[in-house]
Amino acid sequence: MRLHRSAIAALTFWTCASVAEPLSQDWVDQARAIGYEAANSNIAYSVVESLTTEVGPRLAGTEAEARARDWAVSELTKLGFDSVTVEPFDVPLWERHIERGRIVAPAEQPLVLVGLGGSASTGEAGVKGAILRVESPDALQALPDGAAEGKIVFVDQVMARTQDGAGYGAAVRKRRETGEQAYRLGAVGALIRSVGTSGHRFAHTGQMKRAGTSDLPVVPTAAVSGADADQLGRLLDRYDSVEVELVLTSEYLPAAQSGNVVAEIRGRTRPDEVVIIGAHLDSWDLGTGALDDGAGVGVVVAAAKALMDAMPEGPDRTLRVVLFGAEEVGLVGAKAYAQKHQADLDKIILAFESDFGAGDIWRLDHGVADEALPLIKSMTAMLSPWGVIPGKPGATGGPDISVLAQAGVPVITPLQNGWDYFDYHHTPDDTLDKLERHSLDQNVGVYAAILSVALREGVSFK
């Protein structure tokens, strides 16, 4: 089914008393029509292509992230949003410089590694130490103070490949905690098996627990590729001692400016009631941030544009697109947004974001009031033409939106298929060629259909 935009725009939108019960068939048909049209717009791919080509990597607090904000303001203004603003905030700026590693004994071999965000510096001379291998963060935490004196800690925990990303939640703790725990143990450095699922020889970066501060004591810490982690493991199985050299030079610079880019389509009858869709504008500095999170930027911008075209007179409620800054280094933009808008959080009807690549959406998870569960069930059925099945409670809405969820804002998570997402996550391989256009378009259709319901006056998720 495909309708011309003129037909979509002619659809009648009406209001009723508070709606938390199943949707009428007319509403379902209209939502699907808008979704089909949105999925054929090709705007999402154009947005991602432009962002990753014209800006490229966008590390929080850098000049590149500032260029990304300028790019976003220009693009959103051209698309015709009623308002486009930047809400600035400061973020500590961490930058990597020299990064290399090698096995020095029993036989010299290079290591493919990358420093973790917030890592301390070895200085240009580097550090050397025998490897102390543990299998998990729990095993590391169980060691007594000073147990790794003069050594290099190696947390060799494999990440499970899952469709819903649950493997990441289980594995990411080692990235956050190892540097701090290694400092407690007296180590001179630390390595982790990359938080990723790739079979390629790439290392995956990511933020340590030291988010936003240089005060938490950590040792120089890097992630090694899965292949190099395997190599270290084989050597440790064969020899009593394996010695490694690390050179990781990095620095914290004075606080730099970041910011959230906020665009709105003003509500016609209930402008103070807001539906938020978000993505994050920054990325790590290795690839071009196409999957994480250029794809999310493309999805939410294209879905919002579809609603703009479908309802030229304006939706009942205000649709707000938030492109968060400084997500990768600790949800800094999300926290700044929640603080700035604290007095108006109760006016947010629903919030959700796209930050899990560009795989097909296959499940609708929810974090809404019990009274709204019939509505969620009906919305899920509405999305069945796109292959969406009923999801689970306890959704956070996504990383940035989770800050709003913690404040009581109703959220949903249109969950994407993340089976291969962590092959590319936080690596040099996160580039535009990894996007599948048909999946990106499916995401846009689902988001637009959901928005066409959530933006109606009277629909309640509370």
Side-chain angles (χ1 to χ4, degrees), residues 141-408:
Q141 192 172 38
L143 294 174
D145 292 358
E149 192 71 37
K151 297 183 178 182
I152 292 177
V153 167
F154 172 40
V155 181
D156 190 17
Q157 179 192 38
V158 175
M159 176 178 163
R161 182 186 295 275
T162 60
Q163 185 178 8
D164 64 0
Y168 181 71
V172 75
R173 181 181 160 200
K174 67 183 175 186
R175 192 185 75 202
R176 292 180 53 77
E177 298 180 4
T178 293
E180 180 186 7
Q181 288 295 323
Y183 182 91
R184 177 184 66 83
L185 297 172
V188 296
L191 295 172
I192 65 168
R193 177 186 285 268
S194 279
V195 183
T197 53
S198 172
H200 298 290
R201 203 178 178 195
F202 287 121
H204 300 241
T205 192
Q207 186 64 32
M208 300 169 64
K209 190 176 179 180
R210 205 183 186 201
T213 178
S214 59
D215 296 333
L216 182 67
V218 299
V219 301
T221 308
V224 295
S225 75
D228 289 82
D230 290 341
Q231 183 77 332
L232 283 171
R234 286 189 292 267
L235 287 167
L236 288 162
D237 290 341
R238 283 170 165 78
Y239 299 96
D240 292 335
S241 179
V242 175
E243 187 176 356
V244 165
E245 178 186 66
L246 302 178
V247 180
L248 302 171
T249 65
S250 59
E251 61 180 330
Y252 263 106
L253 298 172
Q257 188 172 94
S258 184
N260 298 322
V261 180
V262 180
E264 286 190 348
I265 302 171
R266 186 76 171 163
R268 179 173 50 86
T269 59
R270 291 288 188 272
D272 291 338
E273 297 179 1
V274 177
V275 174
I276 290 179
I277 53 174
H280 69 84
L281 193 55
D282 64 312
S283 76
W284 280 105
D285 50 340
L286 304 181
T288 59
L291 291 170
D292 187 20
D293 187 28
V297 172
V299 167
V300 299
V301 170
K305 174 61 174 171
L307 267 293
M308 195 186 308
D309 292 342
M311 293 178 275
E313 75 285 359
D316 294 339
R317 291 166 164 158
T318 293
L319 173 58
R320 182 175 298 161
V321 176
V322 184
L323 304 183
F324 294 97
E327 185 271 349
E328 296 289 8
V329 296
L331 308 181
V332 183
K335 294 169 185 175
Y337 181 89
Q339 182 176 14
K340 179 178 177 62
H341 297 273
Q342 186 173 9
D344 298 319
L345 295 184
D346 62 329
K347 297 177 182 177
I348 302 175
I349 303 304
L350 184 69
F352 54 112
E353 72 177 293
S354 179
D355 184 14
F356 194 36
D360 282 359
I361 294 170
W362 64 284
R363 198 174 82 192
L364 186 64
D365 291 350
H366 51 86
V368 300
D370 289 346
E371 293 79 3
L373 293 180
L375 173 60
I376 294 295
K377 182 178 180 180
S378 186
M379 288 175 63
T380 306
M382 175 188 78
L383 300 173
S384 61
W386 289 280
V388 179
I389 65 173
K392 300 178 180 179
T396 64
D400 284 310
I401 296 300
S402 69
V403 178
L404 299 179
Q406 291 167 9

Side-chain angles (χ1 to χ4, degrees), residues 8-225:
I8 294 291
L11 293 172
T12 302
F13 284 78
W14 63 91
T15 62
C16 63
S18 181
V19 176
E21 63 270 9
L23 304 173
S24 70
Q25 190 59 47
D26 284 338
W27 283 24
V28 169
D29 290 344
Q30 291 177 22
R32 287 175 176 173
I34 289 173
Y36 292 142
E37 185 72 11
N40 283 286
S41 69
N42 294 316
I43 291 175
Y45 187 85
S46 296
V47 167
V48 186
E49 181 183 41
S50 176
L51 174 60
T52 57
T53 302
E54 297 166 32
V55 181
R58 310 170 292 281
L59 186 65
T62 62
E63 180 272 338
E65 194 198 22
R67 282 191 288 114
R69 288 193 297 278
D70 292 342
W71 168 90
V73 169
S74 175
E75 291 297 313
L76 293 169
T77 300
K78 284 190 291 186
L79 287 172
F81 284 85
D82 293 331
S83 67
V84 182
T85 59
V86 176
E87 299 177 354
F89 57 86
D90 287 342
V91 59
L93 176 57
W94 177 89
E95 289 188 341
R96 71 179 80 248
H97 300 300
I98 301 170
E99 295 186 336
R100 65 176 184 267
R102 64 188 180 111
I103 300 166
V104 295
E108 185 170 332
Q109 301 180 41
L111 290 172
V112 173
L113 55 73
V114 64
L116 298 183
S119 172
S121 177
T122 64
E124 292 188 7
V127 296
K128 291 182 182 179
I131 290 289
L132 173 61
R133 178 173 59 170
V134 297
E135 63 182 13
S136 69
D138 285 336
L140 187 65
Q141 192 172 38
L143 294 174
D145 292 358
E149 192 71 37
K151 297 183 178 182
I152 292 177
V153 167
F154 172 40
V155 181
D156 190 17
Q157 179 192 38
V158 175
M159 176 178 163
R161 182 186 295 275
T162 60
Q163 185 178 8
D164 64 0
Y168 181 71
V172 75
R173 181 181 160 200
K174 67 183 175 186
R175 192 185 75 202
R176 292 180 53 77
E177 298 180 4
T178 293
E180 180 186 7
Q181 288 295 323
Y183 182 91
R184 177 184 66 83
L185 297 172
V188 296
L191 295 172
I192 65 168
R193 177 186 285 268
S194 279
V195 183
T197 53
S198 172
H200 298 290
R201 203 178 178 195
F202 287 121
H204 300 241
T205 192
Q207 186 64 32
M208 300 169 64
K209 190 176 179 180
R210 205 183 186 201
T213 178
S214 59
D215 296 333
L216 182 67
V218 299
V219 301
T221 308
V224 295
S225 75

